[in-house]
Amino acid sequence: MDWDNVAAEDVMEALREVEWSTPPRSFGEFFSRFAFPRSFSKWKSRLKCNLYYYRTNYFILVIFVLGLALITRPLAIVGAAFTALSIAFLNDSFAATFNEKCIRTIRLFSPHLAAKMRPPHMPVIRGRSAARKTVYVCGKPRWVFVVIFLTASLVMWFSSCGLLWVLYALLTSLIVVIVHASVRTPNLKARLNTFREEFRAVWRNYSEL
C-alpha cells in the first residue's frame, strides 16, 4: 500500500474500526532496524505506517510511561487507567465487546434490565443503517462513557495534585511514540502479509459509505 496516498484522517478512522484485541508485536521486532527517513514525504509515510502497524505496542507504551511516572501517586494511576479506558471506548471493536459482555453479565441477575440496555433499533435506508457509525454501550452512546471516564480521571488527577505531572508524562510518552514511529523502518514482510489486507478491509468498509 502506498501510504503517501493515505490521509491522516483515514488512518484515524482505520484505528477506530480495527480489531482491538490484536496482540502486540514482539519485543525484538519492535526494537530493531532503525534509520532516519530520507525525506519529509518518506517520514510521513513511515509515521502513518508504523502508527497503524504498532498500534497495540504504542498503546501499551503510553500506559507504561504514565504508570511509571505516577508510581508514587496511586490516585493518579487510577486516573490514568480511566483515561486509557475512555480511549479504548473510541475503538468500535472494544466498545462492542465491552457492551456485549456487560449485558451478558447483567442478564444473569436481571434479564429485564439487560433487555433495556440493548441499543435502540436503527432505521434502514437503502440497505444500510441510518446511524451506522453510532456505537452504543449499555444502551447509551459510547461518548457518554468516554466523558464519564475522562471526568473521573480529571477528578483523580486533581485529587492527587498531579495534573501537571500527568501532562508531562503524557507528553513524554507521545514524544517517545512519535520518535519510534519516525525512525523504525517498516517491516515489509509483515506489511505485505498482515496489516495491508487488514487495512484494505477497513478501507473498503468506509469507502462504500
Side-chain angles (χ1 to χ4, degrees):
M1 177 178 291
D2 187 3
W3 285 91
D4 289 333
N5 298 326
V6 180
E9 294 79 6
D10 299 328
V11 177
M12 296 301 297
E13 186 72 11
L15 290 174
R16 187 179 67 84
E17 296 182 356
V18 77
E19 179 62 37
W20 70 276
S21 59
T22 303
R25 307 299 172 181
S26 65
F27 185 85
E29 177 185 345
F30 189 63
F31 291 103
S32 65
R33 298 185 59 189
F34 294 101
F36 288 101
R38 298 180 179 179
S39 64
F40 181 70
S41 61
K42 292 287 186 182
W43 172 77
K44 291 195 300 181
S45 178
R46 180 184 295 185
L47 183 66
K48 289 180 285 189
C49 173
N50 286 334
L51 285 177
Y52 182 81
Y53 184 66
Y54 293 110
R55 57 188 178 274
T56 306
N57 297 73
Y58 291 146
F59 183 78
I60 295 175
L61 179 62
V62 171
I63 299 303
F64 175 77
V65 173
L66 286 175
L68 191 64
L70 305 174
I71 194 169
T72 59
R73 295 175 170 87
L75 286 179
I77 293 179
V78 176
F82 284 162
T83 302
L85 190 57
S86 64
I87 294 174
F89 273 123
L90 296 177
N91 179 267
D92 294 352
S93 176
F94 178 86
T97 302
F98 182 90
N99 177 65
E100 288 299 323
K101 290 186 177 182
C102 186
I103 292 179
R104 192 177 305 159
T105 302
I106 294 175
R107 189 185 296 121
L108 299 176
F109 305 97
S110 177
H112 181 68
L113 178 60
K116 288 185 176 182
M117 297 174 67
R118 284 290 177 183
H121 176 72
M122 299 296 178
V124 177
I125 301 176
R126 294 181 182 179
R128 288 179 181 155
S129 171
R132 182 175 178 177
K133 292 189 176 181
T134 302
V135 178
Y136 286 82
V137 177
C138 298
K140 302 293 182 181
R142 68 169 160 197
W143 64 264
V144 174
F145 286 85
V146 173
V147 171
I148 289 175
F149 282 105
L150 281 179
T151 303
S153 64
L154 288 176
V155 171
M156 293 292 181
W157 290 340
F158 274 116
S159 300
S160 63
C161 299
L163 181 59
L164 187 60
W165 186 251
V166 169
L167 294 178
Y168 283 141
L170 183 60
L171 180 61
T172 300
S173 63
L174 293 179
I175 291 176
V176 171
V177 168
I178 293 175
V179 170
H180 181 276
S182 299
V183 299
R184 175 65 173 91
T185 56
N187 188 323
L188 296 180
K189 181 178 178 180
R191 286 174 58 189
L192 292 175
N193 295 335
T194 307
F195 83 93
R196 183 179 62 181
E197 296 303 325
E198 183 180 359
F199 188 92
R200 282 181 175 176
V202 174
W203 182 291
R204 192 179 305 114
N205 287 336
Y206 66 80
S207 64
E208 294 175 354
L209 293 177

